[in-house]
């Protein structure tokens, strides 16, 4: 029986994602993810199945508030404890519950019609996963737009955190040559699973209505700044929204990797290219930690309610999307 447990704390250090032809195990040092009832990891092992000896390796840079950011003459900022409390609210939220439902349905996909069941799901996921890139860019923009309003160093440190996950989506990591984009990795995963190119699915499929709806909601909320007029309040909303995206994505990709591996062992029995899911399953905890630190560098104490509202807004709409993905698989 699958058990999808929740986490209450995330932190990260150096990550190494390895792969080779033989599908050998590679250690991932010091990715610390507390996930009650499942695992606390200081060394992970993953199996990689790509015909390449290239390693994706990056040094995660977490820029917490410095003495300059915490200067006494500046307004107070939200605390670590306040942000962790908001993250903990997501643990019991609608988004995590929808992910449980989705993964339960994925693990129950029937062997005799798995392709017909999963095609519409992948049509939606293809759009959905890419749609987070403009959402991340919009969050960056909202922080950048506080120029002349927010403190110079606070703004810069928040952006120094935020740029890393967005750059990683395009294969850019610290101290590494540019590697495959995450869109390329998703296409590789699809090809190994279905046996034909992702472009064929997109050409044959209708518009991904659920993913398009979530995308429109994300951009409406982020660019609208949660309905606030003040640039710093709009940025605080965007930072809360970004943190909710990254925090929930850790559950999303970790559980999805587990569920697809279960499906492959039970039904498909294929040589799957797991790198897309592995990179995200190992990396989303770091991205959540980066989003956490971006918040700590610039969001004023009095904007804690704005953070909560932003996180709740994404949790609500994210849950609708994944409940719809579960519906596409249930009843077959």
């Amino acid at each position: 029986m699958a058990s999808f447990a929740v986490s209450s704390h995330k932190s990260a250090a150096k990550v190494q994602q390895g792969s080779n032809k033989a599908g050998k195990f590679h250690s991932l040092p010091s990715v610390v993810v507390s996930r009650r009832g499942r695992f606390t990891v200081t060394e992970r092992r993953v199996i990689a199945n790509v015909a390449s000896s290239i390693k994706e390796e990056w040094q995660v840079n977490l820029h917490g508030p410095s003495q300059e950011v915490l200067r006494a003459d500046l307004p107070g900022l939200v605390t670590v404890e306040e942000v962790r409390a908001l993250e903990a609210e997501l643990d019991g939220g609608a988004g995590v519950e929808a992910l449980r439902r989705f993964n339960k349905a994925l693990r129950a996909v029937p062997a005799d019609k798995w392709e017909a069941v999963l095609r519409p799901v992948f049509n939606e996921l293809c759009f959905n996963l890419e749609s987070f890139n403009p959402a991340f860019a919009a969050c960056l923009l909202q922080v950048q737009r506080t120029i002349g309003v927010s403190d110079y160093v606070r703004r810069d440190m928040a952006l120094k955190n935020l740029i890393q996950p967005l750059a990683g989506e395009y294969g850019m990591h610290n101290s590494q040559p540019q590697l495959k984009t995450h869109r390329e990795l998703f296409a590789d995963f699809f090809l190994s699973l279905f046996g034909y190119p992702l472009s064929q699915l997109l050409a044959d499929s209708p518009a991904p209505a659920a993913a398009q709806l979530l995308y429109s909601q994300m951009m409406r909320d982020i660019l609208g700044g949660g309905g606030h007029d003040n640039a710093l309040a709009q940025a605080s909303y965007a930072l809360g929204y970004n943190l909710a995206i990254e925090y929930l994505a850790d559950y999303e990709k970790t559980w999805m990797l587990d569920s697809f591996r279960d499906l492959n062992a039970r039904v498909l029995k294929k040589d799957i290219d797991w790198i897309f899911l592995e990179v995200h399953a190992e990396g989303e905890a770091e991205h959540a930690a980066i989003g956490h630190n971006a918040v700590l560098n610039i969001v004023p104490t009095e904007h804690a309610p704005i953070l909560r509202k932003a996180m709740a807004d994404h949790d609500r709409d994210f849950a609708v999307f994944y409940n719809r993905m579960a519906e596409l698989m249930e009843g077959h």
Side-chain angles (χ1 to χ4, degrees), residues 133-160:
N133 292 359
F136 294 144
C139 291
L140 275 162
L141 176 63
Q142 291 292 56
V143 177
Q144 289 171 320
R145 288 182 62 248
T146 66
I147 184 171
V149 177
S150 63
D151 175 73
Y152 180 90
V153 176
R154 289 181 170 186
R155 180 173 64 255
D156 195 46
M157 288 300 100
L159 292 167
K160 193 172 184 179

Side-chain angles (χ1 to χ4, degrees), residues 258-275:
D258 289 345
S259 295
F260 271 108
R261 280 183 169 156
D262 177 81
L263 179 67
N264 190 49
R266 179 175 59 87
V267 175
L268 307 178
K269 305 184 189 306
K270 294 187 176 187
D271 185 19
I272 302 297
D273 186 340
W274 297 112
I275 295 298

Side-chain angles (χ1 to χ4, degrees), residues 4 102-103 106-107 109 114 118 121-122 125 186 189 193-194 252-270 272 274 276-277 329:
F4 304 110
F102 170 83
N103 282 278
L106 179 55
R107 287 172 180 255
V109 167
W114 68 266
L118 290 182
V121 175
F122 269 80
L125 287 177
F186 181 77
F189 172 52
L193 188 66
F194 287 86
E252 177 189 25
K253 303 308 191 305
T254 303
W255 290 353
M256 194 180 291
L257 174 60
D258 289 345
S259 295
F260 271 108
R261 280 183 169 156
D262 177 81
L263 179 67
N264 190 49
R266 179 175 59 87
V267 175
L268 307 178
K269 305 184 189 306
K270 294 187 176 187
I272 302 297
W274 297 112
F276 172 79
L277 287 177
M329 294 184 287

Side-chain angles (χ1 to χ4, degrees), residues 61-130:
N61 292 324
L62 301 177
H63 305 288
S66 64
Q67 289 184 347
E68 181 68 15
V69 166
L70 298 174
R71 285 189 356 240
D73 61 312
L74 294 173
L77 298 174
V78 292
T79 65
V80 171
E81 292 72 22
E82 286 177 304
V83 178
R84 284 182 178 167
L86 294 176
E87 291 170 338
E89 291 180 13
L90 293 177
D91 291 337
V96 169
E97 192 57 37
L99 287 172
R100 283 199 184 92
R101 180 184 175 188
F102 170 83
N103 282 278
K104 181 179 179 181
L106 179 55
R107 287 172 180 255
V109 167
D112 60 340
K113 47 184 175 180
W114 68 266
E115 183 177 354
V117 173
L118 290 182
R119 274 180 60 91
V121 175
F122 269 80
N123 181 46
E124 294 280 357
L125 287 177
C126 181
F127 187 100
N128 171 253
L129 295 169
E130 184 176 0

Side-chain angles (χ1 to χ4, degrees), residues 31-62:
V31 182
V32 182
V33 183
S34 176
R35 202 174 282 278
R36 291 193 296 270
R38 279 188 73 208
F39 50 81
T40 298
V41 185
T42 55
E43 180 181 82
R44 278 190 181 176
R45 295 182 181 275
V46 297
I47 299 175
N49 292 303
V50 295
S52 171
S53 60
I54 295 176
K55 290 181 179 179
E56 181 171 293
E57 182 178 349
W58 65 96
Q59 180 69 39
V60 175
N61 292 324
L62 301 177

